[in-house]
Amino acid sequence: MRETRTTEFKETITNTFLKTVSAFSNYDGGEIFFGIDDVGNIKGLPDAKQACLDIENKINDSITPQPDYTLELQNNDRTIKLTVKSGMQKPYLYKSKAYKRNDTATIEVDTLELSRLILDGKNIRFEELPCEDQKLTFDVLYQKLKESIQIETFNQDTLKTLNLYNNTGGYNNAAGILADSNHFPGIDIVKFGENISVIQKRATFDHVSALTVYEKTLEVFRDYYQYEEIQGADRKKIEIIPEAAFREAIANALIHRAWDVESQIRVSMFDDRIEIISPGGLPAGIREEEYLSGKLSVLRNRNLANVFYRLGFVEIFGTGILRIKQLYEEGVKQPKFEVSENTIKVALPFFEKDLNLSEDERMVYQILSKTVLKSISEIAPYIPFGKSKTTQLLKDMEKKGVVKIEGRGRGTKYVIK
């Protein structure tokens, strides 16, 4: 047994454990074991039954409001297990300060985190607070609703139905996020070249409707990760990275991010992948394994998610994780998801179907995948073996249905089917 984010050991009883009681009550709950040293060795307490009374008195006298906890004697009454549940009346304060867990340490929360705890204790979300700007317009939202659900009229009653306006507080922050012009951060996109020192394009979409941010981000994506191939009289759209997966990732980044953080969603575009980093980490009430498995979705911004759902951008009951994984089921490389305390990162790789290729064939395939047509002379500089072997590999790949050969002689070109 070792210390974790939700487990702490105390060899003796000192007032420092009260900070951890505050932290566990404010967030996901946890357990404190008394009579066990930092590395998990059982040392025992001189009088565990009296220690129980001391712990109970310290908590009742020092933590406000009263936390929900239980005490249990263990190891033949040599140690004590204190179980603290996540509370409903946040923030739980020790000496007028609120605490949280940072890995295995307990630290005081900052001003932003304290304001979140206060709202959480009142069952209010940031998106439900009155927007500081009440002179808002919604032309983009109206147009999108008109296109998706054929809405005829758009007025204050429409905004009330969408939970974006009420007679008491006026427009809320969710309304501000969707307004044509606002003070909220958006998305910062960088398209890198051969390495991160080469920037091919940079685009920032800020202080406009989240719907505009979503659409403009998709436009940049299509410029770099889609092209058309002419096949006879037809044009076929080729997707280097599945657009549906990128749509899910961007929509979810906008819906689930923490909007009270003055930070943009970062989209880094590379030749072989896209990385999307959104601020805020996971909302309270969901663990990393639940998020990654797609079994549970906790909406940080319910009103915003409702609008995206009505417009058909997302499925309201899913996080998008399962959808993204499904789109890569036949791929050689799989998307990656990383969760930290303050961010969520999604990496979407170049889509390569599992084509049963050898290592040498896969190397050639990687070169071909970066442009539409290539000749042997264009491929050769990037391959560690000669033209003869490369030509044979391409012929083998043609038999497998992976590559199409066009032209003859010096004009021969190779393209991925």
Side-chain angles (χ1 to χ4, degrees):
M1 194 161 62
R2 61 184 180 83
E3 288 190 325
T4 67
R5 191 183 186 89
T6 56
T7 304
E8 182 164 276
F9 300 144
K10 292 291 183 184
E11 188 171 343
T12 59
I13 300 170
T14 62
N15 287 344
T16 57
F17 85 90
L18 294 166
K19 295 180 181 180
T20 305
V21 173
S22 165
F24 287 162
S25 299
N26 284 326
Y27 293 93
D28 300 323
E31 298 168 338
I32 304 174
F33 293 87
F34 296 91
I36 299 178
D37 67 17
D38 291 343
V39 293
N41 298 316
I42 296 175
K43 299 296 184 179
L45 296 166
D47 187 346
K49 290 182 180 179
Q50 180 60 45
C52 274
L53 294 174
D54 294 341
I55 292 168
E56 186 174 358
N57 288 332
K58 285 179 181 292
I59 293 174
N60 294 343
D61 293 343
S62 305
I63 305 291
T64 53
Q66 185 71 38
D68 186 357
Y69 67 92
T70 58
L71 286 162
E72 179 185 349
L73 292 171
Q74 294 187 323
N75 298 309
N76 295 321
D77 294 353
R78 295 179 62 214
T79 64
I80 298 170
K81 176 184 176 183
L82 168 62
T83 303
V84 182
K85 295 183 180 179
S86 178
M88 302 293 291
Q89 298 175 293
K90 300 167 185 175
Y92 291 84
L93 306 176
Y94 169 59
K95 291 187 176 179
S96 301
K97 295 179 181 179
Y99 292 86
K100 69 175 182 178
R101 293 287 279 176
N102 183 14
D103 196 12
T104 60
T106 301
I107 60 173
E108 184 182 349
V109 302
D110 58 23
T111 305
L112 174 60
E113 196 68 23
L114 180 60
S115 67
R116 288 176 179 170
L117 287 171
I118 293 170
L119 290 177
D120 196 12
K122 296 177 179 179
N123 198 28
I124 299 173
R125 298 169 187 247
F126 175 78
E127 66 162 2
E128 297 169 337
L129 293 175
C131 185
E132 64 181 50
D133 184 2
Q134 289 292 310
K135 294 180 180 179
L136 303 175
T137 61
F138 299 93
D139 293 339
V140 174
L141 176 58
Y142 175 38
Q143 186 60 38
K144 292 297 179 186
L145 288 170
K146 201 172 178 182
E147 292 170 3
S148 59
I149 58 175
Q150 289 76 53
I151 191 172
E152 293 296 330
T153 59
F154 184 88
N155 51 36
Q156 218 162 70
D157 288 335
T158 311
L159 295 170
K160 286 180 181 178
T161 302
L162 295 172
N163 294 318
L164 302 178
Y165 181 89
N166 63 64
N167 292 332
T168 304
Y171 297 119
N172 58 27
N173 281 327
I177 293 164
L178 293 165
D180 300 327
S181 177
N182 56 50
H183 65 277
F184 291 101
I187 289 181
D188 183 34
I189 304 174
V190 178
K191 173 63 176 72
F192 294 102
E194 297 175 357
N195 54 62
I196 58 174
S197 299
V198 180
I199 297 177
Q200 295 179 342
K201 181 182 179 73
R202 182 157 197 168
T204 302
F205 307 121
D206 257 339
H207 310 310
V208 294
S209 172
L211 303 175
T212 301
V213 172
Y214 175 74
E215 292 291 347
K216 287 189 173 293
T217 302
L218 288 177
E219 289 174 10
V220 177
F221 167 83
R222 291 176 187 132
D223 284 343
Y224 290 100
Y225 298 97
Q226 291 180 1
Y227 63 88
E228 287 190 341
E229 179 183 304
I230 300 174
Q231 297 181 354
D234 300 323
R235 286 179 177 267
K236 182 181 179 182
K237 185 174 76 172
I238 307 297
E239 296 183 346
I240 298 174
I241 290 175
E243 181 177 317
F246 184 72
R247 281 176 174 271
E248 290 282 351
I250 292 298
N252 278 278
L254 289 165
I255 289 171
H256 294 288
R257 67 155 291 168
W259 284 98
D260 55 357
V261 177
E262 283 294 325
S263 179
Q264 297 158 325
I265 296 168
R266 282 175 33 212
V267 178
S268 301
M269 295 181 165
F270 303 90
D271 286 342
D272 63 343
R273 71 191 186 282
I274 296 176
E275 295 178 355
I276 299 145
I277 300 177
S278 57
L282 293 178
I286 183 171
R287 298 192 303 271
E288 182 176 345
E289 56 269 24
E290 292 170 330
Y291 166 77
L292 295 177
S293 68
K295 293 177 181 177
L296 179 64
S297 175
V298 176
L299 293 175
R300 178 181 272 124
N301 306 293
R302 289 175 294 199
N303 299 339
L304 189 61
N306 177 52
V307 172
F308 270 64
Y309 170 68
R310 286 172 180 263
L311 296 175
F313 294 163
V314 295
E315 296 178 18
I316 200 164
F317 296 114
T319 62
I321 298 296
L322 288 179
R323 173 74 173 139
I324 291 171
K325 288 181 176 179
Q326 287 169 357
L327 290 163
Y328 276 87
E329 277 181 344
E330 296 183 353
V332 175
K333 296 180 181 178
Q334 296 298 305
K336 294 180 180 179
F337 307 91
E338 295 179 18
V339 176
S340 68
E341 183 179 0
N342 297 311
T343 62
I344 294 175
K345 176 180 174 181
V346 179
L348 302 176
F350 173 91
F351 185 82
E352 299 176 72
K353 199 168 183 179
D354 191 351
L355 302 167
N356 193 29
L357 300 179
S358 68
E359 286 300 315
D360 290 345
E361 288 171 339
R362 194 174 301 284
M363 194 179 300
V364 176
Y365 183 93
Q366 288 277 10
I367 303 302
L368 281 178
S369 67
K370 293 184 178 178
T371 57
V372 180
L373 292 170
K374 277 193 176 293
S375 64
I376 286 291
S377 59
E378 290 174 304
I379 299 170
Y382 303 97
I383 303 295
F385 29 80
K387 289 185 179 180
S388 297
K389 181 176 178 179
T390 304
T391 303
Q392 185 58 53
L393 288 170
L394 288 163
K395 288 179 180 178
D396 294 341
M397 291 164 73
E398 182 190 29
K399 291 177 183 177
K400 291 181 179 180
V402 177
V403 168
K404 183 168 66 174
I405 300 176
E406 297 182 357
R408 300 177 65 182
R410 292 178 179 272
T412 302
K413 300 283 185 178
Y414 303 89
V415 61
I416 292 174
K417 271 195 172 182

